[in-house]
Amino acid sequence: MNWDFKTFGELTINELYDILRLRSEVFVVEQNCAYQDLDDYDQQAYHLMGRDANGQLLAYTRIFAPGIKYEESSIGRVVTSPKARGTGAGRQLMEKSLSTLENTFGKIAVRIGAQQYLERFYASLGFVSTSEPYLEDGIWHVEMVRK
């Protein structure tokens, strides 16, 4: 997978379109969740994009410095294309997100709002649950922190 890491201002129109298309495909259509994806945080985020050899966006996260979403740094909108499922792309995406975050901000704590069904996956990456499950946009979530 080929990786790009950009601020919002560095994104091209086509890159932004690809990001919003993938987020909509998975979070809105596949998960049948009508929610406000455009939440005014994209402009404050760094965007990590994983593309295949043909340039198709297969994996994406947005990464925040400490103090924007939470006191800690954070990773959100973690999404892999249905075309990349079962290939290890999700683990590769999170490992790349964590290493990129560390290279950008140093070794600091990371907080995520994880969909609860993925709690064990995130735990395997060093995250620990810090909240009871809560309902967000019709999907059960849990807050998790990696020290």
Side-chain angles (χ1 to χ4, degrees), residues 3-16 19 41-51 60-64 100 104-105:
W3 297 99
D4 284 311
F5 183 63
K6 297 184 175 188
T7 65
F8 184 80
E10 294 170 327
L11 294 172
T12 68
I13 292 170
N14 288 332
E15 287 169 332
L16 181 58
I19 290 167
Y41 280 107
D42 286 311
Q43 299 91 325
Q44 300 172 66
Y46 291 87
H47 302 268
L48 180 65
M49 299 166 282
R51 296 181 179 276
Y60 167 82
T61 57
R62 64 183 189 180
I63 296 172
F64 293 98
T100 301
T104 305
F105 303 114

Side-chain angles (χ1 to χ4, degrees), residues 5-69:
F5 183 63
K6 297 184 175 188
T7 65
F8 184 80
E10 294 170 327
L11 294 172
T12 68
I13 292 170
N14 288 332
E15 287 169 332
L16 181 58
Y17 180 86
D18 289 347
I19 290 167
L20 296 176
R21 184 181 188 285
L22 179 59
R23 287 178 6 190
S24 178
E25 175 185 9
V26 174
F27 298 137
V28 177
V29 177
E30 181 181 303
Q31 294 183 346
N32 195 27
C33 181
Y35 78 109
Q36 185 61 44
D37 181 38
L38 302 178
D39 60 2
D40 293 322
Y41 280 107
D42 286 311
Q43 299 91 325
Q44 300 172 66
Y46 291 87
H47 302 268
L48 180 65
M49 299 166 282
R51 296 181 179 276
D52 67 13
N54 296 320
Q56 184 172 13
L57 183 64
L58 296 180
Y60 167 82
T61 57
R62 64 183 189 180
I63 296 172
F64 293 98
I68 295 177
K69 293 278 291 188

